[in-house]
Amino acid sequence: MKRALYFILVVTFMLAGCKSSRIVDQVQIIHAMGYDWKKGKYVGTAIYPTFRQGPMTKPDILTTESSTTYDLIPRLSSKSALPIEEGQLRLVLFGKSFAKKGITEIVHSLARNNKVGMRLQLAVAKGDAERLLRITAETTLSDTLYLSNLIEQNIREMNLPNTNLHIFLYNYFGKGRDPFLPYLEKKGNFVKLEGLALFKDGNYVGRIDLRQSFLVKLLLDETKNGVYQIPISKNKKKGRVLLENLFATSQYSLRRGREPIIDIHLRIRASIRDYPTWLDLPNKKEFQLVRKQMEKHLNKDITALISLFQKKGVDPLGIGDFVRSHTRHWDEKSFYKGYRHLQIRPHVNVDIIQTGIGE
Amino acid sequence: MSIFSLLFKSNKPKQETKTLQQLLDMLKQSSDFANVQIQTGNYHVSIFYFDSLVDPKLLQQQVLCHLQQELPKYTSFSIENLQQIIPIQRIEVTQDVATIETKLLKGFAMIRFADIPDCCALVNLASENLGLRQNNESENEFSVVGPKVGFVENIGTNLHLLRRQIVTPNLIFRELTLGTVSRTKIVIAYIEGVVNEQTLETVLQRVSEIEFDIVFDASLLDQLLADNSSSPFPPFVSTERVDKAIYALVEGQVAIFADGSPYVITGPSTLFDFFTSPEDYYLPWILGSFFRMIRMFGVMFSVLASPIYVAVLTYHYEMIPKDLLGPIIFSRSNVPFPPILEVLFLEITIELLREAGARLPTKVAQTLGIVGGIVIGQASVEAALTSNILLIIVALGALASFTTPIYKMSNTIRFIRFPIILFAGFWGGLGIAFAICLLLIHLGKLQSFGNPYLVPLYPFRAKDFADSLIRSPYQMTVKRPSYLRPRLLWRYNPKKAKQKKDIDE
């Protein structure tokens, strides 16, 4: 008994050398990875920080080409002094051409990779991913985390619906729903968030703008932020009000029948941040008028957005999943055959809670 | 084992029955063995004693003086009547040579009349406080609030301190003598009617079975009495604070005093007993609980902080938050060692400082602390031997280990950090989990006087949590902890305590 114990002890300590250690300052930690499809070849771009010159970090870039996506990271290693480690990866950026060709392979690899976190952000770039990453590395931004911080900030404070690898995988593998990703674009020396890229089975099929992505955000789950501009008119005077979402909830209900109808009840508690000077909001009548016009307008926009989804045959809102949860023997194929003509009716209810300080 | 026991048997000196004359001849070899002969009236009296053990004032004023003045008045005087002229309590008259030997060695004087040379009177002249300190402030277990009286090296004083606060005939002292050379007086104290009989029996049996030569300190007993002597964890609380010892007795524990030791052993103890300070009870319960929890956190931090640093930096860089990655990599970028060597280097430096500080005189130790802490720390960072962040972690870990009120436990905490660091260095986070499992298994198996060491946690006793992790208000700690199996569960009558006496009534 004792001898066996000693044996185990000795063996475990001798075997300890077999585990390769990855000491934090002796690996190349990449923060963002870009994938492109250029001239019949895959291009991988990695961006990593260097910490050697004081507390300021200096971003560096590595690129490589290959005919498959699998050996991009090993090929990057052949250009690097230290072993490349993807454990701190915060962003994977796909070029538009790559996204059109399909991101399935990368997604499968990420889903199985135990090193990367589930809060990793995925995004699509207009044009090349490499060019966007170069902007963040080489211009005044000079921050390896710029793009992932930009996306997270917009999720937290602005119009972008909540996305990360986990949510993407849920939408990707889940039946009756399609994934979406933030869509980024180069604007001069900056990168701008331009809305959402829509996917169908891992292939890019189109995009919506940032205003519409606010509506997606409202329709998906409870949200506490985002702004939306709405045109308003009174006695032939025209203007716009800026609505700021304070708390919004959406509720779906299904009316069964030969032609099923889906009702979406959307309740927005909002504040009006800016409005034209001719509008007298403290006046009850005008207040109601603004409210009615806002509801009408939002209804219209949502209907337009949903019919756009129906026309493209994508389902980022997960309506198929919702119907599946309310139907016995739901069949994906037959549902999406009729998806185009499915009747979806939004019912928006706006509560204006505050309009700023005033009499 | 059998071979050794045979050896010991053959070496054992043969016990011979000595005659009184033989004993005296042997003792006379020592230069401090004095023999005073006086002739008063018809009586020839000889007094034998050890000069170094006897209080000369007592000898002169109470014995010699009275003998010289009173004895001539009697015409016939028997030795049994000595008590009537010598005003010293408990004069013993005996013929037993063995008793005479031990009593002489304890500071008694032997008085013998020439006409009856075999019968001797033994008078206690021992100078109790000779060579002992008078100051009895508790130095090592300091508390800002509450009494500062501590035990001293004199067992008589210690027992007196106990009796003063436990005013009940149920407080029993049982005396034993231990040590073939030192013949140390050991007192086992308990409260009859509260203490569990089985526990008491275990304690008495264990103490009486001890075979040792010199009992220097109670901490020796602590090791000799331990259920598992190869554990780094102290099996019993040893304290120099009177209030702590009294509280343990009242809860139903047993206290063991050894003459010459300012520390008292109380047991059976549990792991939580080592993290309670008397101050917890002197502060309001919310504050007491808060500070107790801080202490527990300190222990966890002290044990785990540097192993986690090693594990994360060697194996799990994925775990580092993105804002911390820069500072960590930057501070480590010039360090030539792997994290485990870096940590061991700094931990051993801190241990050296502590050890040196404990050995040096107080005034030098302060300077050394500053030199060591600031200069060596800063210099080793600047020489790129360690990273800034590690310096903070190790210093905080050392600081946190000092919050443990019992010194023995804080030594244990100092020690168990090192195996965990090695586990973390070899296996990373898995190693830490493994080490903690081993630690818990060990703690779960430990016993203190046959009582489980990890008790309210394992075996689980929900009701005894009142005074473990938190210090509950006094109305919730009316009952004694049930794991001690006390014969009287209630400490006092809770109904009487609840009555609010209104002035108007």
Side-chain angles (χ1 to χ4, degrees):
Chain A
M1 180 59 200
K2 272 233 162 108
R3 197 177 287 179
L5 259 175
Y6 285 130
F7 179 74
I8 291 171
L9 217 72
V10 168
V11 164
T12 45
F13 274 90
M14 288 194 352
L15 285 179
C18 297
K19 171 92 172 77
S20 66
S21 62
R22 300 164 294 160
I23 298 174
V24 72
D25 56 326
Q26 284 163 21
V27 289
Q28 201 72 270
I29 292 169
I30 55 177
H31 267 156
M33 184 79 201
Y35 290 99
D36 283 311
W37 169 252
K38 264 195 269 187
K39 295 170 195 153
K41 279 206 160 178
Y42 292 104
V43 180
T45 314
I47 175 165
Y48 58 90
T50 324
F51 295 103
R52 299 210 180 267
Q53 300 129 335
M56 287 288 287
T57 62
K58 187 179 154 293
D60 281 311
I61 274 201
L62 280 175
T63 22
T64 189
E65 286 184 356
S66 169
S67 50
T68 68
T69 56
Y70 300 135
D71 66 342
L72 280 171
I73 288 184
R75 268 171 189 256
L76 285 174
S77 272
S78 63
K79 288 185 177 177
S80 159
L82 297 169
I84 285 190
E85 285 288 345
E86 68 266 37
Q88 283 275 349
L89 204 58
R90 304 280 159 169
L91 175 78
V92 172
L93 193 61
F94 303 108
K96 200 171 175 179
S97 47
F98 185 93
K100 270 184 185 157
K101 210 169 170 300
I103 59 174
T104 319
E105 277 177 8
I106 303 290
V107 167
H108 270 265
S109 141
L110 284 175
R112 277 179 293 105
N113 195 336
N114 59 356
K115 282 184 193 168
V116 299
M118 275 294 160
R119 282 158 79 186
L120 165 76
Q121 293 293 348
L122 304 170
V124 175
K126 187 185 179 189
D128 289 345
E130 188 191 338
R131 217 171 50 170
L132 245 64
L133 290 176
R134 277 200 189 281
I135 289 174
T136 65
E138 281 159 14
T139 60
T140 47
L141 301 169
S142 191
D143 181 7
T144 49
L145 294 169
Y146 171 73
L147 287 177
S148 52
N149 285 346
L150 179 141
I151 292 170
E152 268 162 26
Q153 184 268 121
N154 274 287
I155 289 170
R156 222 170 30 243
E157 309 289 341
M158 296 304 285
N159 289 359
L160 201 61
N162 198 5
T163 84
N164 54 32
L165 179 62
H166 182 217
I167 291 169
F168 179 85
L169 291 176
Y170 180 67
N171 287 337
Y172 179 81
F173 288 110
K175 282 203 163 65
R177 37 179 71 240
D178 286 318
F180 55 88
L181 289 179
Y183 186 79
L184 301 165
E185 202 177 319
K186 177 178 180 284
K187 282 273 155 87
N189 267 347
F190 280 89
V191 178
K192 188 168 177 287
L193 188 66
E194 279 290 356
L196 288 180
L198 304 174
F199 281 82
K200 179 90 190 158
D201 296 332
N203 296 69
Y204 172 86
V205 288
R207 55 165 284 235
I208 56 174
D209 63 20
L210 209 53
R211 272 189 91 220
Q212 287 168 317
S213 78
F214 173 67
L215 299 178
V216 174
K217 187 173 186 159
L218 289 184
L219 291 169
L220 274 175
D221 35 35
E222 285 181 5
T223 50
K224 277 186 183 165
N225 37 47
V227 291
Y228 197 69
Q229 230 180 43
I230 295 167
I232 216 101
S233 60
K234 188 188 92 179
N235 305 335
K236 290 186 184 153
K237 279 186 197 159
K238 280 191 177 167
R240 282 166 186 275
V241 293
L242 188 69
L243 171 145
E244 188 187 2
N245 173 26
L246 296 177
F247 184 67
T249 50
S250 59
Q251 205 174 15
Y252 289 60
S253 60
L254 173 71
R255 197 175 296 171
R256 286 196 202 81
R258 229 159 50 83
E259 280 188 5
I261 301 169
I262 289 164
D263 289 300
I264 306 174
H265 293 275
L266 196 61
R267 183 155 184 238
I268 308 172
R269 263 153 277 189
S271 91
I272 292 182
R273 212 201 260 173
D274 290 304
Y275 55 89
T277 43
W278 46 260
L279 208 60
D280 181 26
L281 272 186
N283 184 335
K284 236 180 194 170
K285 229 178 176 181
E286 294 202 7
F287 187 82
Q288 286 304 327
L289 177 93
V290 170
R291 218 182 75 132
K292 281 273 144 8
Q293 286 197 3
M294 279 169 116
E295 284 177 356
K296 209 177 110 194
H297 203 85
L298 277 167
N299 259 331
K300 207 182 82 193
D301 286 354
I302 290 173
T303 316
L305 180 72
I306 288 172
S307 61
L308 175 79
F309 289 154
Q310 284 176 321
K311 218 165 72 195
K312 284 192 187 291
V314 292
D315 189 6
L317 299 179
I319 286 167
D321 198 20
F322 168 73
V323 175
R324 182 195 59 77
S325 68
H326 284 71
T327 348
R328 212 176 270 246
H329 311 303
W330 179 79
D331 180 52
E332 194 178 9
K333 259 185 194 164
S334 62
F335 174 79
Y336 281 106
K337 226 175 254 174
Y339 178 62
R340 221 168 218 277
H341 308 290
L342 191 69
Q343 211 178 346
I344 303 169
R345 299 186 304 199
H347 307 278
V348 182
N349 177 13
V350 178
D351 269 351
I352 299 172
I353 288 182
Q354 50 158 304
T355 59
I357 303 168
E359 281 177 47
Chain B
M1 194 62 212
S2 57
I3 302 169
F4 286 116
S5 60
L6 266 176
L7 265 175
F8 282 127
K9 247 176 211 165
S10 59
N11 283 348
K12 228 176 184 178
K14 276 170 197 163
Q15 289 285 327
E16 281 175 45
T17 43
K18 279 182 264 184
T19 63
L20 188 60
Q21 197 50 50
Q22 275 173 330
L23 174 70
L24 289 177
D25 286 344
M26 199 176 86
L27 292 177
K28 267 176 195 159
Q29 290 174 19
S30 285
S31 57
D32 60 341
F33 188 69
N35 179 8
V36 177
Q37 313 270 348
I38 38 174
Q39 183 79 42
T40 48
N42 308 324
Y43 306 101
H44 181 84
V45 185
S46 41
I47 307 171
F48 299 90
Y49 58 90
F50 272 100
D51 221 4
S52 51
L53 293 173
V54 159
D55 190 346
K57 235 184 211 170
L58 278 177
L59 180 68
Q60 288 156 18
Q61 291 175 357
Q62 316 291 357
V63 180
L64 289 180
C65 183
H66 288 281
L67 280 177
Q68 282 163 352
Q69 284 175 4
E70 306 282 334
L71 216 49
K73 292 176 189 166
Y74 292 86
T75 47
S76 71
F77 190 80
S78 131
I79 196 159
E80 277 81 12
N81 297 335
L82 211 55
Q83 183 78 69
Q84 288 168 14
I85 43 171
I86 297 177
I88 287 178
Q89 55 164 350
R90 285 205 245 174
I91 293 176
E92 200 181 329
V93 178
T94 180
Q95 292 191 338
D96 182 27
V97 182
T99 321
I100 293 169
E101 182 186 339
T102 45
K103 290 277 159 119
L104 272 175
L105 287 166
K106 286 278 171 194
F108 282 58
M110 185 184 95
I111 300 174
R112 193 167 67 156
F113 287 84
D115 45 345
I116 15 171
D118 279 346
C119 213
C120 304
L122 294 164
V123 186
N124 186 1
L125 297 178
S127 60
E128 291 276 330
N129 294 317
L130 193 70
L132 294 176
R133 63 178 167 138
Q134 295 302 310
N135 181 2
N136 69 343
E137 235 172 81
S138 63
E139 282 169 355
N140 297 325
E141 290 169 59
F142 189 75
S143 138
V144 181
V145 204
K148 291 172 184 57
V149 187
F151 291 119
V152 289
E153 280 83 352
N154 185 351
I155 196 167
T157 316
N158 293 350
L159 297 180
H160 164 77
L161 287 171
L162 267 198
R163 274 257 185 247
R164 273 219 328 212
Q165 277 199 303
I166 308 184
V167 189
T168 157
N170 288 342
L171 175 64
I172 310 284
F173 293 144
R174 290 245 194 133
E175 199 180 313
L176 289 160
T177 311
L178 257 190
T180 50
V181 175
S182 69
R183 303 273 172 84
T184 310
K185 186 171 159 190
I186 307 284
V187 169
I188 297 167
Y190 58 92
I191 299 180
E192 181 74 53
V194 173
V195 74
N196 179 262
E197 278 165 340
Q198 208 179 329
T199 314
L200 182 65
E201 235 165 69
T202 317
V203 176
L204 288 172
Q205 191 198 345
R206 290 247 184 106
V207 174
S208 58
E209 275 174 3
I210 289 178
E211 210 34 61
F212 211 67
D213 53 354
I214 301 182
V215 182
F216 289 106
D217 188 67
S219 52
L220 270 172
L221 287 182
D222 191 304
Q223 293 169 53
L224 295 170
L225 291 173
D227 301 54
N228 176 2
S229 57
S230 51
S231 165
F233 287 89
F236 315 109
V237 171
S238 56
T239 179
E240 60 166 1
R241 288 189 65 93
V242 179
D243 48 4
K244 207 161 178 172
I246 288 174
Y247 190 71
L249 284 175
V250 167
E251 294 263 276
Q253 296 183 12
V254 179
I256 303 169
F257 293 77
D259 195 16
S261 167
Y263 282 89
V264 177
I265 298 172
T266 59
S269 310
T270 70
L271 186 65
F272 287 113
D273 288 345
F274 292 91
F275 303 107
T276 59
S277 152
E279 212 160 83
D280 296 349
Y281 300 96
Y282 298 141
L283 292 173
W285 74 271
I286 295 182
L287 299 185
S289 306
F290 176 70
F291 291 125
R292 195 177 277 186
M293 261 140 60
I294 292 239
R295 229 172 282 139
M296 304 264 178
F297 168 78
V299 172
M300 300 257 218
F301 184 87
S302 171
V303 171
L304 292 176
S306 36
I308 286 177
Y309 176 88
V310 173
V312 168
L313 263 71
T314 319
Y315 297 104
H316 316 295
Y317 70 91
E318 295 97 335
M319 306 294 298
I320 305 172
K322 62 183 174 192
D323 299 323
L324 209 58
L325 193 66
I328 284 182
I329 292 182
F330 172 65
S331 75
R332 250 199 68 83
S333 58
N334 292 320
V335 179
F337 309 122
I340 179 166
L341 287 185
E342 190 191 353
V343 166
L344 282 179
F345 169 74
L346 213 56
E347 287 281 0
I348 287 172
T349 310
I350 292 257
E351 289 306 316
L352 285 177
L353 275 175
R354 261 205 264 211
E355 207 49 39
R359 302 288 153 259
L360 279 173
T362 339
K363 279 168 192 157
V364 191
Q366 276 180 4
T367 328
L368 181 98
I370 295 165
V371 170
I374 299 172
V375 178
I376 295 180
Q378 196 57 37
S380 60
V381 166
E382 261 168 37
L385 285 175
T386 54
S387 67
N388 280 322
I389 290 172
L390 180 65
L391 192 67
I392 297 167
I393 290 175
V394 169
L396 277 180
L399 192 67
S401 74
F402 285 128
T403 55
T404 317
I406 307 282
Y407 182 66
K408 278 186 180 170
M409 194 43 125
S410 98
N411 279 341
T412 307
I413 289 161
R414 274 163 73 176
F415 169 74
I416 55 174
R417 196 182 313 164
F418 286 93
I420 302 183
I421 288 174
L422 288 182
F423 270 104
F426 286 125
W427 293 341
L430 181 73
I432 294 179
F434 192 67
I436 288 175
C437 285
L438 285 182
L439 201 67
L440 286 179
I441 292 169
H442 175 70
L443 282 173
K445 277 172 74 180
L446 264 188
Q447 287 187 331
S448 162
F449 284 141
N451 246 45
Y453 196 60
L454 217 53
V455 83
L457 278 178
Y458 173 81
F460 188 74
R461 297 280 178 272
K463 277 180 187 161
D464 296 334
F465 270 99
D467 189 12
S468 55
L469 279 169
I470 56 164
R471 201 282 276 171
S472 309
Y474 285 123
Q475 62 262 32
M476 291 174 78
T477 52
V478 191
K479 281 184 182 175
R480 300 194 162 89
S482 67
Y483 53 81
L484 291 170
R485 282 167 290 143
R487 284 172 63 196
L488 196 66
L489 197 58
W490 299 91
R491 282 170 59 189
Y492 50 87
N493 189 348
K495 274 181 196 155
K496 266 190 193 169
K498 260 186 194 165
Q499 275 174 8
K500 294 255 161 80
K501 289 193 182 102
D502 220 320
I503 292 174
D504 297 338
E505 275 175 26

